[in-house]
Amino acid sequence: MSEQRLFTHDAFPVIAPVATRFTPGTRLATPEGERPVEGLAVGDAVLTRSGPRRIARVDTRRQARSEWTYDRPAWPIRVPVGSLGNPRPLRLAPDLRVLLSGPTVHRICEVEEISVMLRDLVGLRGLIVERPLADLCYHGLSFGIPAVVEAEGAACEVEGSEGAVVAVDLAREAYHAMHAAGEPPLRG
């Protein structure tokens, strides 16, 4: 069943359910500076590509160790420094969509920007599936409309896709070539 938008006006943003994709400690850009995702609440402003937006909903998903031990597809992806322009290592949900852009992406994919699930980049540039050491916890937020937020330099999609979705092999080729060309630059 597809997600149904209950209201489309910005004053009433509601989309269900909230996708939980950020691990505790992941810092998102806000007008006051970076803040950890677990410290954000409904009504707080987060910087998005289209400007500051207020959070309409937040959610946290916790799984006890006994529940995730054999559920490897739920384990977070470790993103080394610089792999997505991030200045420090990140741990993000495998189904988080990140945006890749730059001259190399344009040359290979023939579009300005692509959207790719993080799990599809595992094995490249040090991205690995990392077994959690304790209970698994993911935090999510919703603005009620699709948005792109910056998680410590990495452009991440929330509720929708702004970038072009291309074949996994093409996305992997572009990502690999980006790093050979020194892209993306380290942000933060």
Side-chain angles (χ1 to χ4, degrees), residues 77 79 84 92-94 96 98 116-122 127:
I77 306 295
V79 182
L84 295 172
L92 300 167
L96 176 68
V98 295
V116 60
M117 275 197 196
L118 205 51
R119 81 169 108 243
D120 294 335
L121 301 178
V122 168
L127 272 73

Side-chain angles (χ1 to χ4, degrees), residues 34-80:
E34 287 188 342
R35 291 181 50 197
V37 67
E38 65 271 21
L40 296 171
V42 172
D44 289 347
V46 174
L47 296 180
T48 69
R49 188 176 275 176
S50 58
R53 292 235 181 246
R54 298 230 176 257
I55 297 172
R57 293 178 51 207
V58 295
D59 194 14
T60 300
R61 183 181 72 185
R62 293 184 192 281
Q63 281 184 289
R65 187 173 189 161
S66 60
E67 294 174 22
W68 63 252
T69 302
Y70 300 105
D71 188 13
R72 194 167 195 264
W75 295 0
I77 306 295
R78 186 172 197 283
V79 182

